Amino acid sequence: MPFLGQDWRSPGWSWIKTEDGWKRCDSCSQELRSENSQCTINHSIILNNGEEEIFSNECEYAAKKRKKEHFGNNTAAHSFYREKWIYVHKESTKERHGYCTLGEAFNRLDFLSAIQDIRRFTYVVKLLQLIAKSQLTSLSGVAQKNYFNILDKIVQKVLDDHQNPRLIKDLLQDLSSTLCILVRGVGKSVLVGNINIWICRLETVLNWQQQLQNLQMTKQVNSGLTLSDLPLHMLNNILYRFSDGWDIVTLGQVTPTLYMLSEDRRLWKKLCQYHFAEKQFCRHLILSEKGHIEWKLMYFTLQKYYPTKEQYGDTLHFCRHCSILFWKDSGHPCTAADPDSCFTPVSPQHFIDLFKF
C-alpha cells in the first residue's frame, strides 16, 4: 500500500476500498485540479509532441508543489497545548536540549486566547509594540507568522467591538515605521525571510491603519442609567482611577460636566506625582501667567522624556524556582514548598529580556 500521510516519499494519493478492490481517489482540492488541467491544456496547444512530455512532468511537479503549499496554508500556525506555561531555558542541559525561543512562547502561552480577556488585552498589545520597536529582526519564521496572526486577530477585534482603538493605532504606527526603515533602508540583510513577504506585510499594516482611521463609533441608544446620571463625586472618583492622561482627555469630551472635572488641577497633579519624581518636575517646570503650575501641560511634557508607570489587569508571572513563565490564573506544576513566594510579575520589557540571547 502507498503512504497515506504527508510524507515526502508519498505520491500524494489516497485510496478507498470498493467491491472491485482498492481504487485511488484524488485528494487534491478542486481549485488545484482546475489549475493543473488549465496549465496542461493551454500549453499542449503550442508545444510539440516531444516537448509535451517534458512540460507535463514540469506541470505535474508544479501542481504537487502547489498542493504542498495548499496543505501548509491550511495548517494552523499555532499548536494548541493543554498547559499554558513554558519552561524558559537559555542553554542546553542534560535534561533539556536547545533553548527557548520567542516563537515557542507565542505558541505555548496562547496569546490568541489572551487577547479575548479584557484584563490581558493591554498587556499583549504593549508586548507586541515593544517587539515592533526593537525585536522584529530577531523573530524566526514561525515567530513572524505567529506575531502577525495575533496582530490580525487584535485588529479584527477592535474593528468589531470598537474598544481600545488608540492602543492599536500606536502599535501599528510603530510597526509601520520600523518596517519602512527595514524594507527601504536596510532590506533583506537583516530580515529573516523573503523581502517580498515583508513588503506585503507592510502593505497589510498600512491597510489596517486605514481601516482604523475610517472607524466610526456608533452611538448606543440606552434608556437606562448612563454615566452622566451619576453624582459629581462618583464621576470625580472615576477620573481619579485613571492612570493614563489621554483617557482623562477622551472622557472629558463626552459631556460639559466631565470636561469641567477633567480640567481639575488637583487631578493632573496627582497623576504627575504618580508617574514622575520631584527631580523631574524641577527640570520641566511650566508656570501659568498667574504663577501657578500647569500640571496638565507638565504631564504631557514629562511623558515625552520619561517612561510612565504601567498598569495591567493581569500579567504573566515567572517562577524563580522552576524557571517557568505562565499566566497566574492557569498556574504551573511548581515543586517549591511555598510556591507563592517564588512568583514574580513579568512586565512586557522583562518578557523581551527573557528571550534575548
Side-chain angles (χ1 to χ4, degrees), residues 227-239 257-258 260-261:
L227 187 65
S228 304
D229 298 327
L230 297 177
L232 289 179
H233 70 277
M234 294 186 65
L235 294 175
N236 201 36
N237 287 335
I238 292 174
L239 287 171
T257 302
L258 289 172
M260 178 190 65
L261 295 175

Side-chain angles (χ1 to χ4, degrees), residues 85 87 96 318-324 326 331-343:
W85 51 266
Y87 178 81
R96 295 178 180 272
F318 183 73
C319 180
R320 299 186 302 273
H321 178 77
C322 306
S323 297
I324 286 180
F326 63 99
H332 81 287
C334 186
T335 58
D338 186 11
D340 293 338
S341 62
C342 305
F343 297 168

Side-chain angles (χ1 to χ4, degrees), residues 208-221:
W208 286 338
Q209 286 182 302
Q210 188 63 38
Q211 292 180 29
L212 291 174
Q213 193 68 27
N214 299 332
L215 182 63
Q216 298 292 334
M217 298 295 180
T218 56
K219 185 177 180 179
Q220 296 182 356
V221 179

Side-chain angles (χ1 to χ4, degrees), residues 79-109:
S79 301
F80 296 98
Y81 295 87
R82 185 173 300 175
E83 302 87 1
K84 305 301 180 184
W85 51 266
I86 184 170
Y87 178 81
V88 180
H89 55 111
K90 296 188 176 183
E91 58 184 8
S92 298
T93 62
K94 293 182 179 180
E95 295 79 11
R96 295 178 180 272
H97 179 69
Y99 56 89
C100 183
T101 64
L102 195 59
E104 293 178 56
F106 279 142
N107 232 355
R108 297 293 297 270
L109 296 174

Side-chain angles (χ1 to χ4, degrees), residues 146-274:
N146 292 344
Y147 180 90
F148 283 95
N149 190 21
I150 295 170
L151 188 57
D152 178 47
K153 300 297 183 183
I154 290 177
V155 173
Q156 297 305 319
K157 182 178 184 300
V158 173
L159 293 175
D160 292 339
D161 58 24
H162 297 176
Q163 295 182 9
N164 300 306
R166 181 171 55 83
L167 294 177
I168 312 306
K169 288 180 181 179
D170 294 341
L171 166 60
L172 294 180
Q173 180 61 39
D174 292 335
L175 180 58
S176 61
S177 300
T178 303
L179 286 178
C180 287
I181 294 174
L182 294 176
V183 171
R184 298 176 183 175
V186 181
K188 60 184 179 181
S189 58
V190 297
L191 294 174
V192 178
N194 194 313
I195 188 65
N196 295 325
I197 296 178
W198 286 99
I199 294 176
C200 292
R201 287 170 176 166
L202 176 59
E203 294 176 353
T204 302
V205 171
L206 297 177
N207 185 31
W208 286 338
Q209 286 182 302
Q210 188 63 38
Q211 292 180 29
L212 291 174
Q213 193 68 27
N214 299 332
L215 182 63
Q216 298 292 334
M217 298 295 180
T218 56
K219 185 177 180 179
Q220 296 182 356
V221 179
N222 191 354
S223 57
L225 186 67
T226 62
L227 187 65
S228 304
D229 298 327
L230 297 177
L232 289 179
H233 70 277
M234 294 186 65
L235 294 175
N236 201 36
N237 287 335
I238 292 174
L239 287 171
Y240 271 85
R241 296 297 186 274
F242 287 171
S243 61
D244 191 342
W246 285 110
D247 290 337
I248 297 176
V249 173
T250 304
L251 186 59
Q253 297 173 352
V254 177
T255 62
T257 302
L258 289 172
Y259 175 77
M260 178 190 65
L261 295 175
S262 66
E263 294 294 321
D264 186 11
R265 292 179 62 253
R266 291 176 298 176
L267 172 64
W268 292 98
K269 180 180 179 180
K270 289 285 186 181
L271 196 62
C272 289
Q273 291 175 343
Y274 173 75

